Every structure is written in structure tokens, then in C-alpha cells.
Amino acid sequence: MTVTIPLDSIVWDPKTYPRATWNEATVDRYADAISGGDVMPPVVLEQGTNRLLDGMHRWRAHRQLGLAEIAVEYHAVPTDIPPKLYAASLSTRHGDRLIGKDAAAVACEIVQAEPDYSMQTIAKMLGVSRQTVGNYVRHLTERRREVRRVKAMLLSEIGWSNPQIGELLHVTHPTVAADLKEMSGLASLSEDVLREALEGVPPECAEVAERIREERIFSSWNDDERHLLKRLR
């Protein structure tokens, strides 16, 4: 149902806005159309909060014209859908459609906040394929997988069994085995990944991490430097 409310009743929360910015040219175009008598579709507000979910350009066009009221419709955001993702889904349907980089930013934000959130749901809400969402967030999923592998290695080094590791990391035993196999070499292990892997594991893992750091430093030395260190020891 469409109702008319005071323009200043609308709440703009940047945390729910799915675009990096708005398009001033679109605002000007809408303002010109409204001045010419065109009736814009109602903007969409979140039920109970009056947060703007869809219609930023129409809202700003009304403000630009100094209008006091605006037509709105209220939507109840489903409890299992983040408000920004819901707002993004509205922006994919009409008007100044959501562009790729903004859709990618929304997908990344959702996955960073909730790593296990359904990729299929994100794809459906953004109006793109599951594969496209996977491409959007590939760097995040690869980083998460890398950190998980390092965690598995650290836990294995302190004597944990594969079943114990799998239970802590919420993965299957074959996944643990595969992670440990891939961690056979440490040359490409970065310090920031190692630090992140130490979060949420037993304190004993810190000793393993320190040994890895020392071995990595030692391996980067030339033969003379290694020989000198052995003599000092």
C-alpha cells in the first residue's frame, strides 16, 4: 500500500545503502521529470524504522525541489536477509540499476560478516548467477581456506588428531587431511595469515608459529650466515 509521508520522516542509514555513491545526474533528471508533472514510483522504507531501502535518487530529487511530502511503501525485511542485501535486491529491478562493483561490494560485505551465508541467496537477491557471486568473493573464500589450512597445520603440530581438528574447524576428516597435505610447504605462508590462524586455537600453537617464523628467516639466509648461526649455537 502506498502512503504519503513528510519528506523529513525518512531515515537514511548508509549501512543499508547498497551503492558507493548516488548519481547526481539521475537526481537532476528525476527532479526535472517531477517538475514536468511525472509521478515517480514510491520509495521503499523499512517497516518500523523508516529506513530508506530503495529510492535514494527519487528522495533526493524531492529534496532538491523543496517538496514537503513523498509517496512511500513499507517493506518488512525478512529476518534471514541482511537489510543491505534486501535493499540491493530492490535496486536490481528498476531505475538506476545497481552496477557490478556495488553488487560485488555488497556480496563481499555479507560474506565477511557471515562466512557461511548462502551464496545462492546472495545471487538470487542481486539478480546474478551463483558463479558471479563466487567470483565476487573468491579472494575472501580463498583467504578463509588458507587460514583454515594453517590452523589445521598448527593443531596437527601440537598433537591433535584429524577428527579433533575437523571438529574445531567444522570440516570433514578428508578435508583436514587434504589441508595438511597442502601445507607441506611453508614458503608462501604470509605473516598476516599466520597471525589470523592463531585466533581461536590453543596457546601452544603460538610456539609452533614462532618456530615457523624462525625457520623461515633461517631459510632465507645464505650459507655463510647459516654457518655462523650454527657456530654461535
Side-chain angles (χ1 to χ4, degrees):
M1 182 177 68
T2 300
V3 296
T4 300
I5 66 170
L7 200 66
D8 59 9
S9 297
I10 291 178
V11 176
W12 180 63
D13 182 354
K15 293 193 296 294
T16 64
Y17 189 59
R19 304 175 191 272
T21 186
W22 51 86
N23 189 325
E24 290 293 350
T26 299
V27 174
D28 291 341
R29 188 172 72 252
Y30 286 0
D32 186 57
I34 294 169
S35 296
D38 283 1
V39 177
M40 293 282 113
V43 302
V44 180
L45 306 184
E46 182 182 26
Q47 186 174 304
T49 69
N50 270 21
R51 287 197 298 183
L52 183 67
L53 296 175
D54 184 53
M56 168 66 80
H57 297 96
R58 282 164 277 160
W59 175 55
R60 292 186 68 86
H62 277 69
R63 292 179 59 189
Q64 182 174 299
L65 294 171
L67 300 176
E69 296 181 326
I70 189 170
V72 308
E73 64 179 44
Y74 289 96
H75 285 200
V77 178
T79 56
D80 59 338
I81 303 293
K84 179 174 282 190
L85 182 58
Y86 186 83
S89 74
L90 299 175
S91 294
T92 64
R93 300 176 188 175
H94 57 74
D96 202 12
R97 295 179 184 273
L98 204 67
I99 60 175
K101 68 177 182 180
D102 288 330
V106 171
C108 289
E109 182 175 321
I110 301 303
V111 171
Q112 282 182 310
E114 300 182 57
D116 295 322
Y117 196 83
S118 167
M119 295 279 201
Q120 190 60 46
T121 299
I122 296 174
K124 180 180 178 181
M125 298 298 286
L126 294 179
V128 297
S129 68
R130 167 64 177 77
Q131 181 179 1
T132 295
V133 173
N135 291 335
Y136 287 160
V137 303
R138 176 170 289 123
H139 64 292
L140 297 176
T141 54
E142 288 180 351
R143 172 61 175 255
R144 184 185 178 199
R145 191 177 300 116
E146 184 179 8
V147 170
R148 188 194 68 214
R149 285 197 289 257
V150 177
K151 282 181 181 287
M153 180 270 296
L154 294 172
L155 293 167
S156 179
E157 287 291 318
I158 65 171
W160 280 37
S161 67
N162 285 12
Q164 288 175 308
I165 295 171
E167 183 176 357
L168 180 67
L169 301 184
H170 306 292
V171 295
T172 63
H173 303 170
T175 297
V176 174
D179 284 348
L180 293 174
K181 184 177 181 180
E182 290 188 35
M183 284 305 301
S184 58
L186 298 173
S188 61
L189 176 59
S190 65
E191 177 61 29
D192 58 335
V193 169
L194 184 57
R195 282 198 300 266
E196 189 173 340
L198 286 169
E199 297 174 6
V201 296
E204 304 93 296
C205 290
E207 297 179 10
V208 179
E210 195 57 38
R211 187 173 72 245
I212 291 171
R213 292 185 180 104
E214 291 178 358
E215 291 174 354
R216 189 167 52 195
I217 292 172
F218 184 69
S219 67
S220 68
W221 290 1
N222 59 40
D223 290 342
D224 290 339
E225 289 170 328
R226 294 195 191 99
H227 181 67
L228 177 60
L229 179 61
K230 289 178 180 178
R231 289 181 58 189
L232 291 175
R233 286 179 174 175

